[in-house]
Amino acid sequence: MRLTLFFCVIFFFTKITIIAQAPLFSVKSWNPDSQLNIKQALHVPDENTGNFALLLFNNKSVFAYLFDGKFNKIAGLKADKLPNQYTSFIGFRFEGKKLSILMNTLNNKSYGTVTFNFETGSSSTSKLDFKLKREKYLSTFNKHNQIYLATAPKKASSINIYNFNPLCI
């Protein structure tokens, strides 16, 4: 009796696991003759529209896709590899079909952006004229499509919060 109950429980949980793992959508390779060989992926939601971007990174390129809330592909583009000096993605901003991502260097002193324009199919990178001096990087956060950066002065007991101007990013 116990053995039968055990197998029924195992069957039940296996069935739930199989149902819970149904694929929602798939992304095909940019070039049908090659594989994507993804090293890293980044999901970026757009609070205003319900759309989201999916960024896929390999050794040579970045593949950026824009999806609506029902997982239908709106647009896609391929960009060259991002500059090696920027190692972390720390914030993002959507403006229509344009996505800007804030990045920083390994030592958290220099900042730059990469912008994916899904309307034109182009991308660009730029270095920001913003450096932390005598401050320690703590964190970044997004709220209402704005990027905020929190720092702490090295010899003080306070926290500074910077808001990146949309024209800078």
Side-chain angles (χ1 to χ4, degrees):
M1 176 68 180
R2 286 185 176 179
L3 189 59
T4 305
L5 181 62
F6 174 74
F7 283 117
C8 287
V9 169
I10 294 296
F11 176 76
F12 176 73
F13 283 114
T14 304
K15 197 71 167 166
I16 288 175
T17 304
I18 291 171
I19 293 170
Q21 295 179 2
L24 289 173
F25 68 99
S26 63
V27 176
K28 293 187 179 7
S29 176
W30 197 267
N31 179 356
D33 297 331
S34 68
Q35 294 181 349
L36 288 174
N37 295 323
I38 302 304
K39 303 293 182 198
Q40 183 180 5
L42 179 65
H43 166 266
V44 184
D46 183 351
E47 296 173 347
N48 298 329
T49 64
N51 296 343
F52 68 93
L54 181 63
L55 307 178
L56 305 173
F57 303 88
N58 67 19
N59 289 337
K60 297 178 183 177
S61 305
V62 179
F63 302 92
Y65 298 93
L66 183 63
F67 293 92
D68 66 14
K70 295 180 181 177
F71 303 101
N72 298 313
K73 187 169 100 172
I74 298 171
L77 63 96
K78 178 183 174 187
D80 293 332
K81 188 176 177 184
L82 301 178
N84 287 336
Q85 69 197 50
Y86 300 113
T87 58
S88 300
F89 298 98
I90 59 173
F92 62 90
R93 171 179 287 124
F94 264 105
E95 292 180 49
K97 291 185 179 176
K98 193 160 111 178
L99 169 64
S100 297
I101 296 183
L102 180 64
M103 304 175 293
N104 67 350
T105 56
L106 190 59
N107 64 5
N108 297 317
K109 299 290 182 195
S110 298
Y111 296 84
T113 62
V114 60
T115 301
F116 299 98
N117 189 331
F118 291 103
E119 285 183 326
T120 63
S122 62
S123 66
S124 61
T125 59
S126 62
K127 187 175 182 178
L128 296 180
D129 189 25
F130 175 82
K131 288 193 179 227
L132 290 180
K133 295 179 182 172
R134 299 185 192 140
E135 292 178 78
K136 180 181 178 184
Y137 168 81
L138 298 176
S139 177
T140 56
F141 58 95
N142 287 56
K143 185 167 175 104
H144 302 298
N145 212 22
Q146 297 290 316
I147 302 172
Y148 298 92
L149 183 123
T151 66
K154 291 194 177 181
K155 295 188 178 185
S157 58
S158 63
I159 294 176
N160 296 332
I161 297 180
Y162 298 95
N163 179 2
F164 285 93
N165 183 332
L167 298 175
C168 296
I169 295 181

